[in-house]
Amino acid sequence: MNDIVRVDTERLRAHLEAKLPPKVRRFRLDDIPGAMRSRLGWPVAATLMERWFRSTASEMPNTIKSGQRRLIDLDPTQLDEGTVTMQWALGFARVKAAMSRLQNQWNSVAGLEQLQRKVTRQMAAQTRPWRFGDLAQPAKVLDHDCQVNFLNVGRFGDPMDDFYGAMGEASLKIAVSGLVTSHGLGKVSVAIDEPKTLLDQSDVVDLWMNGDIEWQLDPPVQAQKVYVGRDVIFKDIPPECTNAARIPGCPNARP
């Protein structure tokens, strides 16, 4: 065959392209927030991811992971205080249930111990009575000053909703406020009345949580201990149940 067949390549290309499926732009990583917002109805999750994409790349140091650096020490670029709100979070049943549980159980042993530590830390610069905790302050200040307990919320398998997309797993924290009076903190002492002899003295404790006294010095419970509330235990206290004793509960206690 010597004849040369001439083909209009432009028309051929157009003909072939017409038989191909429509061109589809590849889905990119930065398209995810748009899909969250328009397809899934997750506005908060989308906003957080957009903020992440806009932020400068950085590595979270161990001082932040371990809690050595406080929230109030963080640079504003490292802390988002406006996107996630409690009003939004409490719109999800699991968060509302967790918050109710935290409000009812915040005063656990660990919670009261944390409260005592924070009151003790701040009381040196105060004149009684004084207000502990200002709930009008931002969350990052409350976290440092008067946050006393927390509860984790969220787990794998939760409903696929905006909270799941934005937070996944999170910690709810509770801060408290109250008036500290002269009856708040102090030391408890045990002494012999006559002659005046100091036997032992406790560390600083919350006196309002240590009002009950239990003497275990004489039969039927002769343990040589004195319990004051739940925090103070005096050991190796000698028996004092004599005719002249003034200890409550002694059979021969003098009125």
Side-chain angles (χ1 to χ4, degrees):
M1 297 180 59
N2 296 323
D3 294 338
I4 299 177
V5 178
R6 297 182 179 274
V7 176
D8 187 334
T9 55
E10 293 298 327
R11 291 182 59 186
L12 178 60
R13 181 179 295 110
H15 178 73
L16 294 176
E17 288 183 352
K19 295 182 177 295
L20 295 175
K23 292 182 179 179
V24 179
R25 186 176 65 84
R26 291 186 178 182
F27 190 82
R28 301 179 310 194
L29 191 63
D30 56 3
D31 289 327
I32 296 177
M36 284 180 166
R37 186 175 285 108
S38 63
R39 301 291 183 87
L40 300 176
W42 295 1
V44 174
T47 301
L48 288 176
M49 181 166 283
E50 286 170 342
R51 184 183 189 280
W52 179 44
F53 286 154
R54 291 194 305 267
S55 301
T56 303
S58 62
E59 181 179 355
M60 182 180 290
N62 289 329
T63 53
I64 296 180
K65 294 179 181 179
S66 62
Q68 297 176 41
R69 290 181 62 191
R70 303 165 299 179
L71 292 179
I72 56 177
D73 297 329
L74 298 180
D75 186 271
T77 61
Q78 298 175 307
L79 188 64
D80 187 324
E81 300 181 80
T83 304
V84 177
T85 66
M86 283 305 303
Q87 181 179 3
W88 167 79
L90 291 175
F92 301 91
R94 59 188 180 280
V95 180
K96 190 173 183 178
M99 177 56 74
S100 178
R101 180 183 171 191
L102 181 58
Q103 289 174 326
N104 291 328
Q105 301 178 7
W106 75 266
N107 56 343
S108 62
V109 173
L112 292 178
E113 288 176 349
Q114 178 77 330
L115 173 60
Q116 179 176 328
R117 283 192 293 269
K118 293 197 171 184
V119 169
T120 302
R121 185 186 69 199
Q122 299 175 36
M123 66 183 298
Q126 304 292 340
T127 301
R128 297 179 186 177
W130 59 281
R131 170 66 59 178
F132 171 80
D134 181 1
L135 300 184
Q137 293 294 318
K140 62 182 179 183
V141 176
L142 298 179
D143 185 76
H144 175 257
D145 289 349
C146 54
Q147 180 267 326
V148 296
N149 216 329
F150 71 95
L151 183 66
N152 293 327
V153 61
R155 61 187 179 185
F156 180 77
D158 280 345
M160 296 287 287
D161 51 24
D162 199 14
F163 188 86
Y164 190 89
M167 309 301 294
E169 298 179 6
S171 293
L172 293 175
K173 296 184 176 182
I174 189 167
V176 299
S177 177
L179 193 65
V180 180
T181 68
S182 58
H183 302 290
L185 302 177
K187 296 183 179 181
V188 180
S189 302
V190 59
I192 298 175
D193 188 57
E194 293 180 5
K196 298 289 185 180
T197 306
L198 179 64
L199 298 179
D200 201 356
Q201 188 175 66
S202 74
D203 296 328
V204 175
V205 295
D206 270 328
L207 298 180
W208 67 276
M209 292 188 289
N210 291 283
D212 297 329
I213 302 177
E214 181 180 355
W215 303 84
Q216 295 185 358
L217 303 180
D218 298 276
V221 182
Q222 193 168 1
Q224 294 184 278
K225 296 180 181 179
V226 177
Y227 291 85
V228 184
R230 68 181 190 187
D231 295 331
V232 180
I233 303 175
F234 296 111
K235 300 179 180 179
D236 301 323
I237 305 299
E240 285 293 315
C241 275
T242 64
N243 290 335
R246 297 190 180 188
I247 298 177
C250 286
N252 299 317
R254 185 170 62 194

